[in-house]
Amino acid sequence: MICRLFTRSLHTLRMAAPKKVSIIGSGNWGSVISRIVGANVKDHPDLFQQTVQMYVYEELIEGKKLTEIINTEHENVKYLKGFKLPDNIVANPDVVDAAKDADILVFVVPHQFVKAVCTKMKEVVKPGVIAISLIKGLDHASTGINLVSTMIKEALEIPHVSVLMGANLAKEVAREMFGEATIGCRMEEHGPILKDLFHTDYFKINVVSDADTVELCGSLKNAVAVGAGVVDALGYGDNSKAAVIRIGLKEMIQFARRFYDDVRLETFFESCGVADLITTCYGGRNRIAGEEFVKGKTFEEVEQYILGGQKLQGPHTVYEVYHLLKDNDLLSEYPLFTAIYNVCFEKHPPSEMIEVLKRHL
């Protein structure tokens, strides 16, 4: 039955007019994903229009506009230097113009800018638009944690926003080294077209319906990765980091089940879950942030001087998760999340992390 529904949805989508795709964001991950999207729309002219608008926050690079560099040299020299973008990716500094008439919106701006960007583009968003978020982050709302996909849905007043998360270090994907990602799709009929947009022979896509869990994994693992960086800074080895990963996964599952309905354990074993957690705790920017913080740098300095302007999600997620747990009198049930917060925001000694590992069952 599921196969028949999937096939029917795919057939319907293929019979429709080619869809216009717009990418909202152009940082490191946004530029990497534009390489995939640009190539895939060329490979599927029956499904997608051939030109892809990409919203680019305008910056001057050695006196020249970044959009002009991208559109003439086909390279994002600030955030993805050394990798060519497809010539059908058109950099646009006007988010309203970039989003206008789009059938598919791919969101990949830092989560701090989501509300402002959506407010600007709201009036030009087409009815029935397919939206997907690649943004890893959380906001603390009055009713609990607000997912980025929910922020987009509410700001644009659209019924559904899908998500894509996974063990995807951007530079490895840019080099076309094999990896996987998970799409959490809230509308079954959107699954086939989104898979066609992102799936390649080196970037494998699996579509699941448990979108909330997919997105929670993509955000919570960044908090755990900050803790992994703290342990690295203390000079502990892989055994200690494995303990951080194990306890972190346990608290991620516990958190998701407490605050969200219909969480499926099997989703944690997709690329968005344990795979992304391991990758981020060894090679991600939030692990770097945790290590450099213990060595004396602020998170803002890490963003500016080490990450070249890339934004961190981990510290913000640590802060939001901690305060939700505190509001619900749950801190004692999440010792790792609590210890990471205390080290990062309350000036507790980093060794507190090791004490948590020693005491945790």
Side-chain angles (χ1 to χ4, degrees):
M1 181 63 177
I2 293 175
C3 288
R4 289 202 300 272
L5 287 172
F6 185 89
T7 303
R8 191 183 309 152
S9 297
L10 185 60
H11 176 73
T12 301
L13 287 164
R14 290 189 182 280
M15 293 296 290
K19 297 185 180 299
K20 178 182 176 181
V21 180
S22 293
I23 301 173
I24 309 302
S26 60
N28 184 236
W29 185 223
S31 296
V32 171
I33 214 68
S34 77
R35 286 166 48 87
I36 292 173
V37 170
N40 278 351
V41 300
K42 285 185 176 182
D43 289 343
H44 298 287
D46 55 327
L47 292 178
F48 306 109
Q49 293 183 25
Q50 295 299 282
T51 298
V52 176
Q53 292 281 322
M54 180 172 71
Y55 165 59
V56 175
Y57 179 78
E58 192 68 277
E59 302 177 68
L60 290 179
I61 308 297
E62 297 181 355
K64 191 173 182 180
K65 292 180 179 179
L66 181 56
T67 54
E68 293 180 2
I69 296 172
I70 293 173
N71 289 333
T72 57
E73 300 177 22
H74 306 295
E75 182 180 349
N76 188 334
V77 295
K78 179 166 184 180
Y79 294 107
L80 196 65
K81 190 174 180 62
F83 294 89
K84 290 295 183 180
L85 306 184
D87 58 11
N88 60 334
I89 298 294
V90 177
N92 191 333
D94 184 340
V95 69
V96 176
D97 188 56
K100 188 177 180 180
D101 298 325
D103 300 291
I104 300 176
L105 291 170
V106 179
F107 285 90
V108 66
V109 293
H111 83 276
Q112 298 94 323
F113 306 129
V114 167
K115 290 181 181 178
V117 165
C118 288
T119 298
K120 289 181 180 179
M121 57 190 281
K122 177 182 176 182
E123 298 305 320
V124 300
V125 171
K126 291 176 67 172
V129 70
I130 299 173
I132 183 166
S133 170
L134 282 63
I135 304 165
K136 298 175 178 179
L138 299 170
D139 264 344
H140 185 191
S142 59
T143 55
I145 286 292
N146 203 11
L147 300 174
V148 171
S149 63
T150 303
M151 294 166 57
I152 295 170
K153 181 183 76 170
E154 292 175 349
L156 298 182
E157 297 182 3
I158 57 178
H160 307 283
V161 178
S162 297
V163 295
L164 183 152
M165 307 283 158
N168 310 136
L169 296 179
K171 284 293 178 68
E172 292 188 10
V173 180
R175 295 187 183 103
E176 301 187 5
M177 302 168 73
F178 179 79
E180 302 175 305
T182 310
I183 289 179
C185 197
R186 293 181 170 90
M187 287 289 287
E188 184 179 17
E189 57 264 38
H190 293 170
I193 194 79
L194 291 174
K195 184 168 184 175
D196 278 332
L197 187 61
F198 295 105
H199 182 86
T200 73
D201 60 353
Y202 66 88
F203 192 63
K204 178 185 175 183
I205 296 293
N206 189 35
V207 180
V208 301
S209 61
D210 189 11
D212 284 351
T213 307
V214 171
E215 189 167 3
L216 282 167
C217 286
S219 299
L220 294 174
K221 57 91 181 182
N222 284 324
V224 179
V226 174
V230 171
V231 170
D232 283 343
L234 293 172
Y236 284 77
D238 288 339
N239 293 342
S240 301
K241 187 179 289 189
V244 171
I245 292 170
R246 180 188 72 82
I247 298 168
L249 179 61
K250 184 178 179 180
E251 292 191 9
M252 287 168 59
I253 294 171
Q254 185 177 329
F255 184 96
R257 285 177 162 174
R258 182 176 292 274
F259 292 105
Y260 288 85
D261 298 325
D262 303 320
V263 169
R264 300 176 186 174
L265 183 61
E266 58 266 30
T267 304
F268 288 91
F269 299 97
E270 294 286 342
S271 179
C272 63
V274 64
D276 196 9
L277 177 61
I278 293 169
T279 298
T280 305
C281 285
Y282 276 93
R285 69 184 73 163
N286 291 285
R287 186 216 65 80
I288 295 171
E291 182 174 11
E292 293 298 327
F293 179 83
V294 173
K295 292 179 178 179
K297 290 185 175 63
T298 66
F299 292 126
E300 292 77 14
E301 287 172 338
V302 173
E303 288 179 339
Q304 183 175 354
Y305 299 115
I306 296 178
L307 299 177
Q310 297 178 59
K311 295 297 182 181
L312 293 165
Q313 299 86 24
H316 180 83
T317 302
V318 169
Y319 185 89
E320 299 297 349
V321 167
Y322 173 87
H323 283 283
L324 178 61
L325 296 175
K326 183 179 180 181
D327 290 348
N328 288 272
D329 196 24
L330 294 170
L331 293 178
S332 63
E333 298 182 29
Y334 296 83
L336 183 64
F337 284 153
T338 301
I340 297 169
Y341 173 86
N342 285 336
V343 171
C344 293
F345 295 99
E346 298 295 340
K347 299 182 180 180
H348 285 213
S351 58
E352 184 173 313
M353 289 283 304
I354 304 303
E355 294 307 311
V356 168
L357 302 185
K358 290 178 178 179
R359 292 194 307 265
H360 202 285
L361 297 177

